[in-house]
Amino acid sequence: MSEIPVYPPSPEFVQRAHVKGMAAYRDLYERAKQDPPAFWADIARKELTWFKDFNQALEWEAPFAKWFTGGKINASYNCLDRHLATPRKNKAAIVFEGEPGDRRFITYQELHRLVCRFATVLKNRGLKTGDRAIIYMPMIPELPVALLACARLGIIHSVVFGGFSAEALKARIEDLGATVVITADGGWRRGKEVRLKDAVDESLKEAPQVRDVIVFKRTGSSLEMKAGRDHWWHDLDAELSKDPQTEAAAERCPAEPLDSEHPLYVLYTSGTTGRPKGVLHTTAGYVLQTMMTMKWVFDLQEDDVYWCTADIGWVTGHSYIVYGPLAAGATCVMYEGAPDYPAFDRFWRIIEKYRVSIFYTSPTAIRAMIRQGDQLPNSHDISSLRLLGSVGEPINPAAWDWYHRVIGKGRLPIVDTWWQTETGAIMISPMPGATPLKPGSGTLPLPGIIADIVDSKGEPVGENREGYLIIRQPWPSMVRNIWGDPERFKQQYWSRVPGCYFTGDAARQDEDGYFWVLGRVDDVMNVSGHRLSTMEIESALVHHPSVAEAAVVGKPHEITGQAVCAFITLKRGDWNHADLGKELRQWVAKEIGAFARPEEIRFTDALPKTRSGKIMRRLLREIVTTNAVTGDVTTLEDLSVVAKLSSQHDED
Ligand code: PRX
């Protein structure tokens, strides 16, 4: 551990930072630790705008938390309306660049107008508080507009990442019981159209509860509109302008005063079973913590230009493109397309063009950039940058070093932010004006976050020992439930260590108390910072008529961190492995989405199992990692299977 370099913040950074120096961090942390609910209540009153003050900071009947009960609030109001009475009203909220190069600059005032109009459109379709909307859109400004319009009325939204297939979309529409789908004809990715409306049509073949599909025209390509069900966004919007009174009222659509705990959104994420789980986030606590972390972690200042490169289809986009930054009054860059289109310098071009000062991306993106050499970033003026961030997976030292040296010119702080869909907001991260950095460590928990590392009995493991990362106390932006499945919620997160949240990650803490997150301990893979469930891909594969059994594991990958590797046993028949390999990869793309496609498929006669019939994924992981097997194999049903698996290697 002693060889790891330590980078203290520069005096210039400290001077301007919200939290200046370690003493200030420790002070804040200790104050919060004394009484976390009181700490959060204090800042909730100071930082959020309430329609009605709350009575109690926290009602905690483990594992069900209610934050700020009795309060009335609206997330959309906190992201928009309250800025309009300040000089921020004419500040850019969204700086948008489409992949083809089109641009839009949307001020807070204008964003408010767009959100009010679209909320009125939803109201006119008969939608009301408590209804559910599925949003399946490209990364264009109408996506945050749709989120904030739903939030304005208390309609619970669920964004489905545009890379998910019609099958995956259908499962989410059904689980949520959505009555409206908000989509677009398509979006641009690597110069090609990603056709979204076609997938919506496919998914709605058997979904009678969906009454309305609202389609934004982005690409202008031809598509079918089903009479009565499908409506163009611009047609519904044009109806609002039929007379001046109607239009004025639409543009003032009031934000509903909602309970603090009103469900804001459900975001489906992969778990340890074949079925994705709907992570439920509610209003006040979520907005509070995403907003506070904008200040603590990104040290957001009024003149910053902030860019998070995530897609709003994942939690990072929800918390750090929409709710956190807008509640904090930031100027956010939003980019529609791929980082390598038309060339691999698109990110640096965008930073140069809009003078981005805070840049938040993933280790996968960084590794892909490293491959292209230093010359691309070096040929752009990226001197506007003052802070860099990383999220989604552990950042390896080589990637950290490059990010620091080439993008940060050896002087910018890097905040390595650990969190999850379930935590809602960043939990463990440096505060850039305080925390000395160690490459690869998320460093220390933020104020109000009581994290620990324990063994399988729930006992703290102590310094430099590996164990399970847990959170001991509830926090405002925590997952409240799994949509429609409270039993799974209890079992999944709260049964390992009673009263504590189980993250599913392994970690250790060094002699300075720094956290080093090592990765998942469950059957969840992390591919390009996206969560994929081994079971979900397995259950897709076994639906194919040729497949008898499937076992999926993550194998190390230079760029994406992990890649999907599937071991397959086939039903009796005469199969051509090369063709079938291709077909099965395509099959997974259709069942889940192209990003879940196995990189490698290995056909085998049998899978290694314990005597009780459980597939020994640990062995398979070892095989794909080292192509050798070590450790305890005494519970193996048939040892010869292992020898065969190691020698067979059937890549397509
Ligand atoms: O394993 C951890 C990893 O990503 C998981 C959460 O994935 P998801 O819910 O999709 O959210 C991703 C974006 C927040 C975690 O359980 N992870 C995320 N950030 C880091 C990380 N692992 C190490 N270091 C990080 N900074």
Side-chain angles (χ1 to χ4, degrees):
M1 298 298 297
S2 53
E3 289 147 33
I4 288 167
V6 178
Y7 298 86
S10 69
E12 306 83 77
F13 199 99
V14 176
Q15 202 184 15
R16 226 189 140 201
H18 286 299
V19 180
K20 300 182 198 332
M22 270 315 256
Y25 160 77
R26 295 223 183 272
D27 194 48
L28 199 57
Y29 190 82
E30 285 309 315
R31 192 146 51 83
K33 197 176 161 192
Q34 300 303 316
D35 186 348
F39 168 79
W40 290 116
D42 217 28
I43 45 180
R45 287 203 170 93
K46 242 193 292 188
E47 302 278 348
L48 295 177
T49 306
W50 295 87
F51 296 131
K52 180 173 169 280
D53 188 19
F54 53 89
N55 313 318
Q56 199 174 332
L58 172 67
E59 282 177 32
W60 177 229
E61 278 178 41
F64 297 102
K66 287 186 188 160
W67 281 91
F68 312 122
T69 46
K72 294 276 183 198
I73 192 162
N74 186 289
S76 180
Y77 188 95
N78 273 272
C79 290
L80 301 170
D81 306 50
R82 65 176 177 153
H83 301 312
L84 303 189
T86 75
R88 275 186 194 148
K89 69 174 187 285
N90 287 322
K91 174 177 176 175
I94 296 177
V95 171
F96 168 74
E97 181 161 306
E99 199 188 68
D102 49 323
R103 299 183 206 173
R104 284 164 74 187
F105 299 86
I106 303 173
T107 62
Y108 273 92
Q109 204 159 221
E110 175 64 1
L111 186 60
H112 174 263
R113 201 178 71 84
L114 296 173
V115 167
C116 284
R117 287 185 78 105
F118 192 60
T120 308
V121 162
L122 295 175
K123 243 191 211 174
N124 290 351
R125 300 305 311 162
L127 289 152
K128 54 185 189 319
T129 303
D131 287 346
R132 272 91 62 202
I134 287 275
I135 303 179
Y136 186 61
M137 290 186 90
M139 279 284 289
I140 55 173
E142 281 66 26
L143 174 52
V145 166
L147 265 66
L148 292 167
C150 287
R152 199 161 187 85
L153 303 179
I155 297 166
I156 305 161
H157 64 69
S158 186
V159 182
V160 177
F161 171 58
F164 275 111
S165 68
E167 281 296 319
L169 180 62
K170 180 173 162 222
R172 285 155 178 76
I173 292 170
E174 278 171 4
D175 190 76
L176 191 69
T179 54
V180 60
V181 176
I182 304 165
T183 187
D185 44 3
W188 297 111
R189 183 111 189 141
R190 294 205 174 86
K192 295 207 181 76
E193 185 190 16
V194 178
R195 291 182 63 88
L196 296 171
K197 173 64 165 50
D198 291 353
V200 171
D201 289 342
E202 180 69 28
S203 71
L204 291 183
K205 277 187 181 148
E206 307 137 44
Q209 87 278 8
V210 173
R211 293 193 308 264
D212 289 299
V213 176
I214 303 178
V215 189
F216 185 81
K217 187 180 267 190
R218 165 71 182 146
T219 58
S221 66
S222 65
L223 48 80
E224 263 178 52
M225 296 290 278
K226 188 172 168 192
R229 187 196 69 183
D230 300 351
H231 320 273
W232 286 110
W233 179 307
H234 57 260
D235 286 344
L236 298 177
D237 183 77
E239 280 171 26
L240 306 176
S241 304
K242 65 176 186 261
D243 64 70
Q245 277 90 359
T246 312
E247 182 158 51
E251 293 187 0
R252 278 195 310 266
C253 175
E256 289 287 330
L258 301 169
D259 286 341
S260 299
E261 281 294 333
H262 185 78
L264 180 62
Y265 70 80
V266 173
L267 185 59
Y268 287 88
T269 187
S270 296
T272 49
T273 71
R275 213 160 45 85
K277 48 191 181 186
V279 168
L280 173 68
H281 283 293
T282 60
T283 303
Y286 177 80
V287 176
L288 177 68
Q289 212 171 327
T290 53
M291 179 185 150
M292 287 315 294
T293 43
M294 284 304 298
K295 296 191 184 178
W296 288 337
V297 175
F298 297 112
D299 191 48
L300 185 75
Q301 307 284 343
E302 205 55 57
D303 57 352
D304 273 315
V305 178
Y306 162 87
W307 183 22
C308 166
T309 67
D311 191 292
I312 296 177
W314 308 104
V315 75
T316 307
H318 282 65
S319 300
Y320 295 107
I321 298 180
V322 184
Y323 290 106
L326 296 178
T331 292
C332 299
V333 172
M334 185 178 174
Y335 169 58
E336 178 187 27
D340 56 350
Y341 190 84
F344 245 112
D345 64 347
R346 190 70 184 259
F347 276 7
W348 321 127
R349 255 176 213 281
I350 290 174
I351 291 171
E352 179 172 22
K353 197 183 295 171
Y354 304 109
R355 311 306 295 151
V356 171
S357 57
I358 303 173
F359 180 60
Y360 189 31
T361 195
S362 67
T364 289
I366 296 164
R367 287 191 294 263
M369 303 297 169
I370 294 175
R371 267 210 170 166
Q372 306 303 316
D374 300 2
Q375 186 251 334
L376 287 180
N378 286 346
S379 62
H380 290 278
D381 175 6
I382 54 171
S383 60
S384 54
L385 290 173
R386 67 177 199 94
L387 175 62
L388 305 174
S390 169
V391 61
E393 58 191 299
I395 179 163
N396 50 308
W400 198 97
D401 181 62
W402 184 86
Y403 200 26
H404 187 248
R405 193 167 42 79
V406 180
I407 308 306
K409 310 296 177 203
R411 70 186 163 81
L412 303 191
I414 298 179
V415 287
D416 177 359
T417 63
W418 177 88
W419 59 294
Q420 308 177 300
T421 305
E422 293 86 344
T423 68
I426 298 168
M427 304 288 276
I428 299 177
S429 165
M431 284 194 175
T435 324
L437 308 173
K438 294 186 193 181
S441 169
T443 73
L444 298 165
L446 293 175
I449 306 304
I450 318 297
D452 204 352
I453 298 174
V454 299
D455 62 19
S456 54
K457 294 194 191 72
E459 298 299 324
V461 292
E463 196 176 295
N464 272 324
R465 292 244 161 78
E466 208 174 296
Y468 301 120
L469 178 61
I470 62 161
I471 313 292
R472 291 203 177 275
Q473 302 255 346
W475 64 100
S477 66
M478 67 197 276
V479 50
R480 297 299 197 270
N481 211 334
I482 291 179
W483 185 257
D485 202 347
E487 273 318 304
R488 191 172 175 197
F489 175 68
K490 284 188 210 161
Q491 193 272 330
Q492 186 93 53
Y493 304 114
W494 304 94
S495 61
R496 288 272 188 126
V497 185
C500 297
Y501 170 79
F502 179 73
T503 63
D505 276 346
R508 76 184 149 76
Q509 239 181 322
D510 70 13
E511 57 284 0
D512 295 321
Y514 277 34
F515 285 77
W516 297 77
V517 175
L518 306 165
R520 305 287 308 188
V521 294
D522 50 14
D523 292 325
V524 170
M525 293 171 292
N526 191 328
V527 178
S528 301
H530 299 150
R531 249 159 90 165
L532 287 172
S533 145
T534 55
M535 298 280 278
E536 205 176 336
I537 299 177
E538 285 165 8
S539 65
L541 284 165
V542 297
H543 277 138
H544 190 275
S546 70
V547 175
E549 283 182 306
V552 167
V553 291
K555 71 170 203 172
H557 189 278
E558 205 188 329
I559 303 285
T560 58
Q562 281 188 312
V564 178
C565 179
F567 291 83
I568 305 277
T569 64
L570 292 171
K571 289 183 186 156
R572 231 175 248 268
D574 195 10
W575 307 107
N576 174 325
H577 283 184
D579 289 348
L580 192 58
K582 283 200 190 97
E583 191 177 320
L584 290 175
R585 295 177 73 236
Q586 205 37 45
W587 179 265
V588 173
K590 185 182 142 292
E591 294 275 310
I592 302 172
F595 64 96
R597 215 167 13 208
E599 188 185 75
E600 191 181 325
I601 297 220
R602 295 194 191 188
F603 295 102
T604 171
D605 295 337
L607 291 170
K609 290 188 188 151
T610 61
R611 293 208 171 91
S612 62
K614 219 172 151 243
I615 295 171
M616 296 183 81
R617 284 205 186 73
R618 178 181 65 79
L619 286 179
L620 298 176
R621 265 195 295 270
E622 278 189 59
I623 290 170
V624 296
T625 309
T626 60
N627 223 25
V629 180
T630 54
D632 179 19
V633 288
T634 49
T635 46
L636 260 184
E637 195 190 351
D638 178 2
L639 278 166
S640 66
V641 170
V642 175
K644 276 195 200 153
L645 279 172
S646 306
S647 57
Q648 269 172 2
H649 191 159
D650 206 344
E651 232 171 318
D652 82 325

